[in-house]
Amino acid sequence: SDADYFYKRAIELNPQAWSWWLARANLNRDNHELETALMYYQQAMSLTTDKASVLYEIAWNYRLMELKVEAIQAIEQALVVSSSPTKWYYLRAGKIYEWAGEIDNAIDAFGEVIRIDPQDATAQSALKRLAP
């Protein structure tokens, strides 16, 4: 695609710019090129101190690859290394935990979303669906 060409060009001009690697990885993930995306995420990870942002994206890539253990490990690492995880981190964690069948962890994650944003409709719906 045109976007991939421009990301490739930008990376050639500045190969240390982790955000270009991340953007290219996201583009590949959106195009269902998950193995290629993972390679670019790993390159971004090697270039940045903002590990949480990259792990957040890697977690979803693993989710799409249907790799439960890896997806959970990546989102949990993102939560640990983030100085202040946003509700989006907890939403992603909740979605991954629910998909992986870890309902108690999903409830906890969606609960964190509600703690941060009591009006979040996605978390409210998830808690209604999952709560015993």
Side-chain angles (χ1 to χ4, degrees):
S1 74
D2 287 341
D4 190 59
Y5 169 78
F6 288 112
Y7 287 133
K8 180 180 177 186
R9 239 352 239 131
I11 290 167
E12 287 170 356
L13 294 171
N14 187 359
Q16 300 303 309
W18 73 273
S19 60
W20 288 119
W21 287 100
L22 184 66
R24 192 171 188 201
N26 287 340
L27 176 68
N28 278 266
R29 184 183 67 203
D30 292 346
N31 290 329
H32 308 285
E33 297 171 8
L34 303 176
E35 293 290 338
T36 301
L38 186 58
M39 179 182 66
Y40 295 146
Y41 286 128
Q42 290 167 340
Q43 184 63 31
M45 183 73 97
S46 74
L47 296 170
T48 185
T49 58
D50 183 8
K51 306 293 187 201
S53 294
V54 181
L55 287 163
Y56 173 84
E57 300 297 347
I58 288 172
W60 198 249
N61 198 76
Y62 281 137
R63 161 60 185 96
L64 295 175
M65 294 172 82
E66 299 188 12
L67 297 171
K68 290 180 184 180
V69 171
E70 292 85 348
I72 290 169
Q73 287 174 343
I75 197 61
E76 287 178 350
Q77 281 184 290
L79 289 165
V80 167
V81 302
S82 175
S83 58
S84 57
T86 66
K87 77 173 191 173
W88 303 109
Y89 282 66
Y90 290 107
L91 271 172
R92 181 153 293 173
K95 290 175 183 180
I96 289 170
Y97 285 133
E98 183 178 2
W99 162 76
E102 294 193 13
I103 303 308
D104 289 340
N105 287 336
I107 290 170
D108 289 345
F110 288 126
E112 281 298 309
V113 174
I114 295 299
R115 186 185 62 74
I116 295 167
D117 179 2
Q119 304 305 315
D120 187 277
T122 302
Q124 288 175 351
S125 175
L127 288 172
K128 286 178 187 172
R129 182 176 62 251
L130 298 173

